[in-house]
Amino acid sequence: MSLIEIKDLKVHYPIRSGFWNRVTDSVKAVDGISFNIEAGETYGLVGESGSGKSTTGKSVVGLEKVTSGSIMYKGKDITKKSNRNHLDYNHDVQMIFQDSLSSLNPRKRIEDIIAEPLRNFEHLSKDDEKLRVLQLLDIVGLDADALYKYPHQFSGGQRQRIGVARAVATNPKLIIADEPVSALDLSVQAQVLNFMKKIQREFGISYLFISHDLGVVRHMCNNIAIMNRGRLVEIGTRDDIYNHPLHIYTKRLLAAIPETNVSQRKAHREARLAVEQVYREQQDKYYDEHGDAYPLVQVSPTHAVALPEALAQQIVQEGEVKA
Amino acid sequence: MESTSEFLNIKDVSTAFKINGKYYDAISHINLEVHHDEILAIVGESGCGKSTLATTIMGLHDPAETKISGEVDFEGTNLLTLNEAGYNKFRGAKIGMIFQDPLSALNPLKRIEDQISEVMDYHTNFTAEQKHDRVLELLDQVGIVNPKRTAHQFPHELSGGMRQRVIIAIAIACKPDLIIADEPTTALDVTIQAQILDVLREIQKENHAGIILITHDLGVVAETADRVAVMYAGQIVEQGSAEQIFNTPKHPYTRSLLRSMPQLENQNDDLYVIQGNVPSLQRMPHEGDRFAPRIPWVPESAHEKDPVMHVIETGHEVRCTCYKEFKFPDEAEDVKA
Amino acid sequence: MEENLNKHSNISAADLDRLTKEASEEATPSSAKIIWNEFKADKPAMGALIIVIGFILFVMIAALFINTPKMMETNIMNYNAAPGSNGFLFGADTGGRSVGQQLIVGARNSIGIAIGLTLISSTFGICWGLISGYFNGYIDWGMQRVYDFMMMLPMTMMIIVLVTIIKNYNAVTLTFIFSIFYWEGTSRLIRSRTLSESEKDYVAAAKTSGTSNFKIIFKEIMPNISSLIIVDTTLSFAENIGVETGLSYLGFGLPIQTPSLGTLIANANDPNNITQYWWTWLPAAILIIILCLSISYIGQVVRRSADASQRHGITD
Amino acid sequence: MWKTILRRILIMIPEIIILSILVFLLAKAMPGDPFTGSINPKADPAQLHHLMKINGLYDPWYQQYWNWVVHLFHGNLGNSYQYQEPVTRLIGGRAINTLWLALFTTILTYCIALPMGMYAAKHEGKLPDSIIRVYTYVTFCIPFFVILVIGVWIFGFVLGWFPTTGSISSTATPGIQSVGSRIYHILLPGILGALFGTVNVVQYLRSEVIDAKRSDYVRTARSKGVPEKDIYKHHIFRNSLLPIAAFAGYSITGLLNGSLFTETVFSYPGMGLLFINSISYRDYTVITALVLIYGILNLLGTLLSDIILSIVDPRIRIQ
Amino acid sequence: AVKFSTTYKNSDATDKTATKNGTLKLALVSNSPFQGITDPQLASNASDSMAFAPGNLNNLFKYDKNYKIISGGLADQKLDRSAKTATITIRKNGKWSNGSPVIAKDIEYAYEVLGNKDSTSSQYSSDFENIEGMAAYHKGTADTISGITMPDGENGKVAVIHFQKMSPSMQFVGNSYISQYIEPYEHIKNIPIAKLASSAPVRKNPIFTGAYKLDKVVEGESTSWSPNKFYYGKKAQIGHITINVVSLNNIDKALQSKKYDSVVPFPAASLGGTDYKNLKNVKGFTNVGEPSLGYSYFAFNLGHFDTKTGKNVEDPSKKMSNKSLRQAMMYALNVDQVSKKFGNGVKQRANTLIPPVFQKYYDKNAAGYALNIKKANKLLDDAGYKKRNGSKWRSDPQGKPLTIHFGAMSSNATTEATYQDYLQQWHKVGLNVKLVNGKPIETNSFYDTLQKPSQNTMDLWLGVWSLSSEPSQSQLYGETAPFNMGHFATAKNTQLINKMNDSSAWNDKSRTKTFKDWQEYMNSQAGVVGEQFSYAWQPVNNRVKGFNISPANDVDFYSNLTLTSSSMK
Ligand SMILES: Nc1ncnc2c1ncn2[C@@H]1O[C@H](COP(=O)(O)OP(=O)(O)OP(=O)(O)O)[C@@H](O)[C@H]1O
Ligand SMILES: Nc1ncnc2c1ncn2[C@@H]1O[C@H](COP(=O)(O)OP(=O)(O)OP(=O)(O)O)[C@@H](O)[C@H]1O
Ligand SMILES: [Mg+2]
Ligand SMILES: [Mg+2]
């Protein structure tokens, strides 16, 4: 059984208008997605801005009111608040946020920040609690003197590590990491990614890793889902996605990753423009009449793509021919 | 691409900010040249002084709060000696600037057309009609699909990518010789980033302009830049063509940065991490190699007392001699010990 | 977890005391301390603080030694006695009552009203704003309607009507009546800040950490808008000191037996009194201005220090 | 947008109804009645009771309220007991005076406050800024009526520049002369009201301008080579005037509050003075009507602000 | 105390052109705008009568300084005691200011306006039902008042009023049986009486019978006047008169800065003692004055009003029923000193309940209650109000603690200071007197309490009467008078008051004696005790000539005025 099973998850935000301010339409931030996260893996969720990644992540930790669909954990649907409370759900599922400064309460000392989930879920004695906090700080590589300081006194990387420490404080089974490094400098980003990996190794945590940086995702994730306008367009293993992308949207994202090999940049650029060309010309082939993605079809045990069956087979074969 | 002529020459420029009554250098003794038809990328971590350099060239600092020394020779004029009115002849006309945050950089209350044609009000004697035509032309040029419609809209009605295009349109409206782009794509998605960079490159080709591209994304640099200057703590630590920097990086800082990028090869390994932080202004060391504290395993003797730039080959310069002895800790067990 | 941590961390229970001590040596000063330091650095602000606290203390203590009923006894022979005459340092008013003593008792009453009013209306306004800003949806909607309704009420008129209805009103009832109308400004301010504060990720983080809404509102969000609260409270306090002056002028203020700065200033209701008997109102007016200015100034300093702790924080 | 405005107005209706009941009850709760106050040996208490009865004042409150509402739908707010005149006509005459004064005060407030706020912000931290700030603080701390009384004394009586009572000269002939006389009469109260009203506007504008000065779009404008004075003109002032324009609607509340004082000091027959008088006469119909009108004006003020804002600020479209 | 003359005798010669082209500026002292009801039958507020005074308010009669009706006015009145009629004959040249003649119907219509069942007037009283048919008309059962006849027809000049009973007070203007005013019937006949007060002919284009006609009225704030060429009497001389409302707070400064020539004369005084202090020495002004038609008084709560019988009844069990207690309380006060200090000479202790303006009836020799602490203490001691058990307060003769509640109306600072002074005086004689609710009461609540048939909130109170020009006391202190709020109703009092109006009172001398007897009796009983009399005084600019505020000059007051210079002195 998977750790988390997301089934046909929908989150719609109402748009009110008209004379009586009634709900006339809705933003379909997440529009029917399903995927499973296995224990101990890092699951990548990739997509352009506004594609619904954060909304998905928030739904999984229970921060968002879900319109329909289910998220099963330990056989219970945790989209219901009562089930979450009953399971002490957030003891097991935690979150790391994108903006490290805003995710740490500026008026609280680091000790209180890290101890917050402990105080709510594990009622420890004062000393035990302090010890735990100190150990957590040690694990994320911060000195004990951080204990009584405030978030603004740390650099971005350090703050993000404090966020990690808080997230792992209750030894959760799953951590949702919503763009944990996209606001960070290259070198600091490396730092945080290293820590996340280290902690995963040591505690066997699963991540739902949300990012739009395909380079980072490739570095971190075993399984990846590509999201586009509230729907999944492709899911697969790292290899499936990076080496055998099927959906034009995935290809486009991949082509847009800057090439670090200076000598090949011209070729890279041409390749990218070619993909763009296809993307523009073949929109209606890849999307249904409303411009939404098709339902996913399985093309291999690990790989699924949101295309009509026939088209999917055709593309798979083309790919094989090329290879 | 061969550089044709140099038209911007930054000589020994330092900019100091007043903090609690004392001046602290944010950039010190910068020397740089920009040529027509080239993209010069400036890279470095946050707080290295990249933006300060850009705003110094643009003369956007409050003279009461800053002290600037050195020379910025732009087509024969030292910009730093100009008064406000003199500077305004260059801003917008000969030098265009593109800012990072596309939302706040546009006046929320003015239509796109007015914001673009405002540059022309001061630097051309176009008639209203000419300006209107030019606006549409510009919007088309930066890749906006429906220029007529967009010209009439307000910034909040546009997406981030479109706003950034508008800002580029403003910057190039008067066909400037120099465009300074301060992190133009940081706030954007990869796909849009790629498009914006394309636009920039096309414009440069068309206008034969020189572009200073400020970014901390090495991928962007590798994709776009002709030459690269790496900045650390207010200084340029390495400078060279894109090939030189990416293929044969010398300075420990450059090498560290490159190494900390997630790459295909190191998929399952840990990424390289540079120890420590960029020092804040008040804590900036003023003697010796400023990067030394972050590579503590390199013996002090390897550093110069007063590091200067060393030419390695044509166009490739590196500060300090420590690069010669620098090895990553995992490359040389002996050094680490 | 316990085991896990012990396995991966070098720290054990033995290190606890030592590390705690180390940490507390490096601890950052609390914001109260930062504010205090700011005052120490800013001479005029310190002056203002001393004036305000000194004055309040003086008035509170001095008022204890004044027998108010006795002070309020009329002595028509001292009708509008000029300062210095008949042993009145500050002169006497129409009833021959010492203006000086009334200043003290009146200031105490006015400050008391201001404190009471500020406490009630700010507490209420803050809670209202916090709750309404934190919960969106029906709670916020309902609270906003109440708020809209209060906004609509013509305040002075309503107060006058209420004052007329309440037969036996005094400083306490007056304070309550004012409180009905004075929480809106605060609540609006707090609500808008709470709205933006609630969007921040630390609130989401607190939710995922299992913290209750009540705790999030008052333990997480409130401290973050504390500088706003402090500044708003000081400013309302400054404003509230003279709150009943207008009513007193219109003839709906406190009864004569309860002197206040307002009733004293209301002596300036007539151009003749303004010139001829300036001592009956001018000192009170000056007092209000000084107090009000000092308190506003203190508010500024508090605001500044609150900002500074965020701005220069990293370099500290 | 019209729909929105209409909806906003519809939402107002329950608020107005609640207010009307509240005011109605409060007015009745005041001790005394419209006739007791006018006690004199010539008035026979029996006749007063008779008047109470024919005016329905002995009915239960809901009955009275209902009658009042029914009349309201016929455009009739009842008769003033004191003035023996339909309330609509009575208030109509006073409202014009109050609105004249309010309008004039508003215009004047902005004429004084805008240059002041901008000047202060432009020279932020320098001497003129400090002087303007001290001015605003001091004005903020002085009770309004003290400003009024001192103003009347100096400019009305000592210097004799302005009339000190009424809304129009008793001898002014209709036409130009009477308009002139009206303006002459609201000059002093208007100026004094404006002096007081500037405080908020100046402070608000100042902080808006200072924020705008530091904004990114101003930096963009600088990088376009726009001269400093045009930057102020086209970008900073324009953008900071926006919220100020909207503030005008909200300031109605303040002006109406102030009218109680201004009109009392200047014996200016407007709604404020009428209210104060009606309170002591227990003129229920007038009190109820006035509170209601002030309430509605407050509501309209906020609505007006929202409309102005949505017109001038392209970012806001009321939906 | 100060002595005022009713006349400012200006020795300067009248400046004809200044008079003809000039404007006399009068201030109307009031904190509220006037209502604008020109019809005196409907007006409920003194401001209106002042605002429209130059039109003479359609006053029918001329009277002497004792307010006794004499001939020479717009109409003459003849009383016929045996026929029980009053015959009112309008002079031939009596005209309204629009030129139309004053007719008999104008007289009759005044009663209709007053007595109509839908009338908004508050001036109707049961006394009017003395007129034949008035009761029926008031009830609405009759369309006309049968007791008023017009022998020459409606357009004639004579009206005859038939009474059930004649009263001596009918000889005086302002009595409660004969209306002193008329209505311009032709001008207003089309308007229902219920709507009269708000109609245009009353508010916008009213007509008058006085020396001046109204040019313009600015609602609530000013009126302006010019000579009425149809006036029957002495022609008005000054080109314009303007009257502006000025608030109490501003009036002193307004006069000091010479914005006005004077204030509109008002018999119940519009300026007080403090004003006098500010204004007495202003250059260019002279003060005139006459005793005010009003006074303030202390009244004690002695009983209740029996609504069934319509009579006031004394309850001997009331706290204040003890005469010695009442007297002692009055002796404890030093009203003289208060009057001197705050009245600045324009006020004096009231020694009786008839103010000196009624020269004939006023008992100037009455002693009243001057300060006498000793006597007060003795009275209390003798009556058994002793301090017991070391208390600082006296208890009642039964030994129960005694707390007396004093009711006083909220007012200006000076007056409220006076209350405090009185309390202190009472405390001096050991009486525990407290203000009701601890503070002065707002006027409405004050009368609301007192007008209840029975109340125990106030044991004594300080009230004010402004009087009608007819002095009989039945409406204030009579056995059936609802305004007798202290319910003082001894047999002797009833008898004396009745005597003021019975047949013996047709004889002036005898009536005067009754008044004096009543004053003496009231003083001895101390059920109601006068507090202060005051002067209705006012400054008048020295450019004004012919300024005489004596009642005898009322009819011609405005015609007599002239100016001696075009600018103020
Ligand atoms: N509270 C909300 N009310 C209405 N719409 C919302 C709300 N939150 C998000 N949306 C909309 O839902 C869509 C998905 O938003 P989401 O934040 O999940 O995207 P994302 O993929 O995380 O984007 P980004 O990369 O910018 O963070 C967007 O179109 C967004 O505008
Ligand atoms: N106006 C200023 N006053 C004081 N210090 C400043 C000012 N502007 C910048 N600094 C400081 O100067 C240093 C360099 O800043 P700068 O903005 O140039 O860095 P950057 O390289 O552009 O960084 P980023 O990538 O974050 O934009 C930083 O330490 C910054 O704190
Ligand atoms: Mg997101
Ligand atoms: Mg920067």
Side-chain angles (χ1 to χ4, degrees), chain A residues 185, chain B residues 15-19 24-27 42-55 61-62 65-66 100 182-183 186 214-216 231 233-234 278-282 284, chain C residues 315:
Chain A
D185 266 351
Chain B
T15 302
F17 292 115
K18 190 153 122 187
I19 298 171
Y24 297 94
D25 274 350
I27 52 174
I42 299 180
V43 285
E45 283 170 281
S46 187
C48 283
K50 307 183 297 288
S51 301
T52 308
L53 177 59
T55 40
H61 291 297
D62 178 359
E65 301 287 320
T66 44
Q100 170 176 0
D182 189 356
E183 315 216 10
T186 309
I214 295 173
T215 178
H216 57 239
M231 272 188 89
V278 181
S280 68
L281 281 194
Q282 288 112 307
M284 199 90 87
Chain C
T315 53

Side-chain angles (χ1 to χ4, degrees), chain D residues 263-318:
Chain D
E263 292 174 6
T264 307
V265 172
F266 283 88
S267 304
Y268 184 87
M271 294 192 285
L273 184 56
L274 181 62
F275 176 78
I276 300 280
N277 295 146
S278 303
I279 282 282
S280 46
Y281 293 136
R282 300 293 187 264
D283 209 341
Y284 297 144
T285 42
V286 181
I287 295 171
T288 320
L290 280 176
V291 176
L292 214 52
I293 288 173
Y294 271 47
I296 293 172
L297 286 176
N298 282 345
L299 270 183
L300 292 180
T302 33
L303 181 62
L304 182 72
S305 279
D306 292 351
I307 294 173
I308 294 179
L309 207 58
S310 74
I311 290 172
V312 288
D313 190 337
R315 285 166 299 185
I316 299 168
R317 289 266 173 268
I318 4 180

Side-chain angles (χ1 to χ4, degrees), chain A residues 48-49 185 187 194 265 272, chain B residues 45-46 189 191 198 222 225 271:
Chain A
E48 277 181 303
S49 179
D185 266 351
S187 59
N194 287 353
R265 63 183 178 195
R272 198 187 80 234
Chain B
E45 283 170 281
S46 187
D189 277 340
T191 44
D198 284 345
L271 297 166

Side-chain angles (χ1 to χ4, degrees), chain C residues 68 71-72 97 109 254-259, chain E residues 416 420 435 438-440:
Chain C
T68 311
M71 171 190 91
M72 292 318 289
R97 295 167 290 230
N109 290 345
L254 287 169
I256 284 196
Q257 288 69 28
T258 317
Chain E
E416 297 194 8
Q420 297 299 325
L435 277 174
K439 60 170 191 203

Side-chain angles (χ1 to χ4, degrees), chain A residues 47-50 53 155 158 182-195 197-198 201 212-216 218-220 222 238 249 252-253 255-265 268-269 272-273 276, chain B residues 44-47 186 188-195 198 201-202 205 216-226 242-243 246-247 257-258 260-264 266-278 294:
Chain A
E48 277 181 303
S49 179
K53 308 181 297 287
S155 71
Q158 288 170 323
S182 54
L184 303 176
D185 266 351
L186 209 50
S187 59
V188 184
Q189 165 179 321
Q191 223 176 49
V192 173
L193 291 180
N194 287 353
F195 270 112
K197 279 201 151 185
K198 176 182 161 207
R201 278 196 301 273
H212 62 248
D213 187 334
L214 285 155
V216 172
R218 183 173 54 194
H219 181 76
M220 296 292 292
N222 322 99
R238 175 160 51 196
Y249 183 74
R252 189 168 165 255
L253 279 184
I257 305 175
E259 176 62 64
T260 41
N261 190 340
V262 182
S263 40
Q264 285 188 10
R265 63 183 178 195
H268 177 70
R269 178 156 180 249
R272 198 187 80 234
L273 290 177
E276 280 291 318
Chain B
E45 283 170 281
S46 187
T186 309
L188 305 175
D189 277 340
V190 264
T191 44
I192 301 183
Q193 165 171 304
Q195 290 164 9
D198 284 345
R201 239 180 334 230
E202 269 158 35
K205 267 198 204 117
H216 57 239
D217 187 337
L218 286 173
V220 169
V221 177
E223 281 258 299
T224 6
D226 300 308
E243 287 84 4
F246 280 92
N247 297 343
L257 280 183
L258 284 169
S260 59
M261 272 173 85
Q263 246 137 24
L264 263 182
N266 58 10
Q267 246 176 47
N268 292 314
D269 307 339
D270 275 358
L271 297 166
Y272 176 72
V273 174
I274 312 175
Q275 297 183 10
N277 290 311
V278 181
R294 299 184 71 177

